[in-house]
Amino acid sequence: MKRITRKEKRSKESKKNFFGEFIKVKEHFFKDLVKKLKEVKDCRNKGYIDYGVEVLLLMIILKNALGIKSMRDMTVQFNKSECMENMAKVLEVEKLEELPHYDTINDFLCKLENKEIEKIRDYMIKELLKKRCLEQHKYQGKYWIIAIDATSLFYFRERHCEHCLKKEFKDKETGEVIRTAYYHNVLEAKLIIGDMVFSIATEFIENEDENVSKQDCEQNAFKRLEEKLKSKFPRLPIVILGDSLYACEPVFKICEKNKWKFIFRFKEGSIKTVAAEFNKLKEYDKNEHANCTWVNEIAYNKRTVNVVEMKAVEKEKEKYFLFITSLHITKNKVAGIVLAGRSRWKIENEGFNTQKNIRYNIEHANSLNYNAMKNHYLLIQITDIIRQLFELGAIKMRGLIKSIKEISSNLLESFRTRILTAEDISKIRKRTQIRLQ
Ligand SMILES: [Zn+2]
């Protein structure tokens, strides 16, 4: 990439309408997004409706995209005529007299069914999967890589709702409960496209009610997530990545039933017989290449599995990885399999940590109502898809490498100060090429 001087950078930036560029990305990849927002099933009392569902949903998407951390701050920041005009332009309406107060939006999100927002994401993912430019990120030109992992979202000192997960901390000597924590976790399936990580399915880990004898857990949530993923994308060729928790019979069965390939982290303790067989056979077979040693066709129950280990020194650190996979390992494929398996860290890093600490602060509850909390979380997943495409396509390509926070503040500033012009709009609507490489 050509280096540009600071002066050139300043003049380039002042000409740039960041918000316009963001909307251009939305338009390029998801041209029916506003239409999809309008189709969301409205469950509000018909007598009190001032704003269409699309206004309420777009507000939250923009709040997220522009890096605004709280609902209250959104109401303050967006209370400008420029913001109203920009919103109207995006929604293709003549005029918006006012923007809704955050209480109005939260009331709506309390009642809105989660699946309504999931449907919008399904539309977006399906549009992405059609794009030629993303094909090159498939594993061996054939399989989409999907990583599965859970993370914690909200934590409370007192019971927050009937669905909270509960953890008791006991005194080591007396066994008495000294503290109880209540929390909410989520299980995600994320599509890995190069360095981008897109949420493709979400399952909240939650108890049915306060009195359950056994709490919900990641393994149970995976069974629900798997059904969701299969029903939404029945023929999608997938390689599933997961940590060693997934290296077990029930998950292998699910993958076979769905015709999904898998690469899971493997611990010797996960399946002792497979580990023993691997350790024994690797000495005889000597399948070695690119710091990897592997053994194919290790018998396990009614199937065979393949195991590969990698030992290497990278950046002066010793690295060790052990994977179990349904993909047949060969000298030509081993490096690719290990690379795909290792890309699982992206769900923790790009997927969760960036959403928590840099882009959106997903651990901040925008509402205390559990259903609204889930809807806010899903709207962040939708925003994140557009935001990552915007960051890669519109910013990095033109030599404006910026931090994620700088991009948010540039976006917010242009949304609040520059009204999209007729010329901007015609540029946005034009079928322009957005290159991601
Ligand atoms: Zn709760």
Side-chain angles (χ1 to χ4, degrees):
M1 196 175 292
K2 190 176 126 266
R3 279 186 73 93
I4 55 170
T5 66
R6 274 187 289 176
K7 193 178 164 202
E8 277 172 335
K9 189 174 170 187
R10 273 197 306 275
S11 93
K12 233 177 169 174
E13 278 181 24
S14 64
K15 280 190 214 125
K16 201 173 197 66
N17 182 343
F18 280 83
F19 181 67
E21 291 285 325
F22 179 79
I23 296 302
K24 193 163 153 187
V25 169
K26 173 206 79 80
E27 195 66 19
H28 175 82
F29 288 96
F30 315 110
K31 66 175 173 8
D32 291 330
L33 185 67
V34 170
K35 192 174 143 229
K36 297 286 167 188
L37 296 180
K38 285 182 186 162
E39 284 169 11
V40 163
K41 205 170 110 200
D42 197 350
C43 41
R44 291 171 295 168
N45 186 330
K46 297 276 183 297
Y48 299 95
I49 294 176
D50 288 328
Y51 304 97
V53 284
E54 69 280 10
V55 180
L56 307 178
L57 292 168
L58 183 66
M59 280 271 284
I60 300 297
I61 292 173
L62 292 180
K63 164 195 166 283
N64 297 334
L66 277 45
I68 296 172
K69 300 282 191 258
S70 75
M71 293 294 278
R72 198 182 295 265
D73 195 29
M74 172 191 72
T75 299
V76 174
Q77 297 271 10
F78 288 3
N79 188 22
K80 281 190 91 194
S81 61
E82 287 89 344
C83 298
M84 287 173 221
E85 288 203 38
N86 279 331
M87 281 271 290
K89 297 238 160 83
V90 176
L91 294 167
E92 294 179 55
V93 292
E94 208 36 41
K95 204 173 171 38
L96 288 171
E97 297 293 339
E98 271 309 324
L99 289 179
H101 189 266
Y102 69 83
D103 279 337
T104 310
I105 304 180
N106 270 342
D107 286 346
F108 163 67
L109 293 178
C110 287
K111 295 183 195 118
L112 181 69
E113 283 188 68
N114 306 147
K115 69 170 196 285
E116 292 296 317
I117 300 180
E118 290 176 325
K119 275 194 242 168
I120 300 170
R121 177 175 55 190
D122 297 344
Y123 152 74
M124 293 170 74
I125 295 288
K126 282 174 184 164
E127 288 300 303
L128 281 180
L129 294 175
K130 284 188 222 160
K131 296 276 177 209
R132 276 275 171 79
C133 61
L134 302 181
E135 289 267 314
Q136 56 170 312
H137 296 291
K138 280 179 169 180
Y139 170 74
Q140 301 214 324
K142 205 169 166 187
Y143 301 101
W144 294 102
I145 298 178
I146 292 181
I148 311 274
D149 203 7
T151 194
S152 60
L153 286 181
F154 309 110
Y155 165 83
F156 304 94
R157 284 175 185 279
E158 273 156 37
R159 179 172 281 285
H160 148 266
C161 73
E162 56 175 340
H163 306 292
C164 283
L165 300 172
K166 184 172 130 180
K167 189 172 179 183
E168 289 178 336
F169 296 87
K170 290 179 182 158
D171 186 295
K172 273 184 194 137
E173 277 160 32
T174 62
E176 214 179 312
V177 176
I178 36 177
R179 186 165 66 84
T180 310
Y182 297 90
Y183 55 101
H184 284 280
N185 292 356
V186 68
L187 181 65
E188 277 282 332
K190 299 218 184 201
L191 181 63
I192 298 183
I193 306 254
D195 285 331
M196 293 181 287
V197 178
F198 301 134
S199 171
I200 177 167
T202 301
E203 192 57 45
F204 294 93
I205 307 178
E206 60 192 19
N207 292 332
E208 264 177 65
D209 58 62
E210 276 181 46
N211 307 313
V212 286
S213 56
K214 198 171 174 293
Q215 299 204 73
D216 195 16
C217 61
E218 183 171 344
Q219 287 95 327
N220 277 344
F222 177 69
K223 287 175 198 152
R224 305 192 297 270
L225 185 77
E226 165 268 306
E227 281 170 20
K228 233 183 217 179
L229 197 55
K230 187 67 188 171
S231 73
K232 288 175 195 288
F233 304 96
R235 282 175 296 279
L236 199 66
I238 294 175
V239 178
I240 291 273
L241 311 180
D243 63 23
S244 57
L245 186 75
Y246 292 84
C248 63
E249 180 66 22
V251 178
F252 294 156
K253 264 196 183 139
I254 287 168
C255 290
E256 283 156 6
K257 174 185 74 128
N258 293 339
K259 300 194 168 59
W260 293 343
K261 302 290 180 193
F262 62 80
I263 307 172
F264 298 136
R265 286 295 292 269
F266 187 59
K267 283 189 184 149
E268 302 233 337
S270 311
I271 309 171
K272 290 202 177 84
T273 55
V274 171
E277 198 69 359
F278 173 69
N279 287 326
K280 194 171 81 188
L281 291 176
K282 73 176 180 187
E283 301 303 325
Y284 293 107
D285 271 359
K286 284 287 167 218
N287 281 318
E288 282 177 341
H289 184 65
N291 301 321
C292 299
T293 309
W294 67 93
V295 175
N296 282 311
E297 296 183 16
I298 298 175
Y300 178 60
N301 293 346
K302 286 176 182 164
R303 72 182 67 74
T304 62
V305 289
N306 314 314
V307 176
V308 54
E309 75 177 356
M310 187 197 123
K311 282 181 195 163
V313 178
E314 289 172 2
K315 292 182 186 156
E316 294 174 15
K317 276 191 191 148
E318 280 187 33
K319 296 273 180 179
Y320 178 77
F321 291 98
L322 188 60
F323 294 107
I324 187 164
T325 175
S326 57
L327 295 161
H328 187 79
I329 309 164
T330 63
K331 199 173 166 184
N332 285 337
K333 288 181 180 166
V334 68
I337 290 172
V338 169
L339 192 67
R342 288 180 64 177
S343 69
R344 199 194 67 85
W345 70 271
K346 289 180 185 168
I347 191 171
E348 285 171 24
N349 200 41
E350 307 299 311
F352 296 137
N353 292 343
T354 308
Q355 284 194 352
K356 282 182 186 179
N357 306 318
I358 307 175
R359 280 202 191 92
Y360 318 102
N361 197 11
I362 53 172
E363 289 164 304
H364 167 78
N366 285 297
S367 161
L368 281 177
N369 173 281
Y370 183 43
N371 193 57
M373 280 162 63
K374 293 202 273 190
N375 281 328
H376 273 290
Y377 177 84
L378 291 168
L379 283 164
I380 285 175
Q381 303 315 311
I382 282 178
T383 312
D384 200 30
I385 297 173
I386 315 173
R387 215 5 245 255
Q388 289 182 68
L389 290 164
F390 166 71
E391 284 175 23
L392 189 65
I395 303 292
K396 290 189 180 163
M397 267 307 297
R398 292 167 211 191
L400 296 173
I401 297 177
K402 287 169 163 275
S403 76
I404 291 172
K405 287 192 174 160
E406 267 180 293
I407 295 171
S408 298
S409 64
N410 286 146
L411 269 171
L412 181 61
E413 193 193 281
S414 69
F415 179 65
R416 295 181 77 235
T417 55
R418 289 174 64 164
I419 299 168
L420 291 172
T421 61
E423 195 195 345
D424 290 331
I425 298 291
S426 83
K427 265 196 210 157
I428 287 168
R429 305 267 182 261
K430 228 171 32 193
R431 285 201 145 264
T432 45
Q433 197 59 32
I434 292 180
R435 294 193 321 160
L436 295 176
Q437 287 303 306

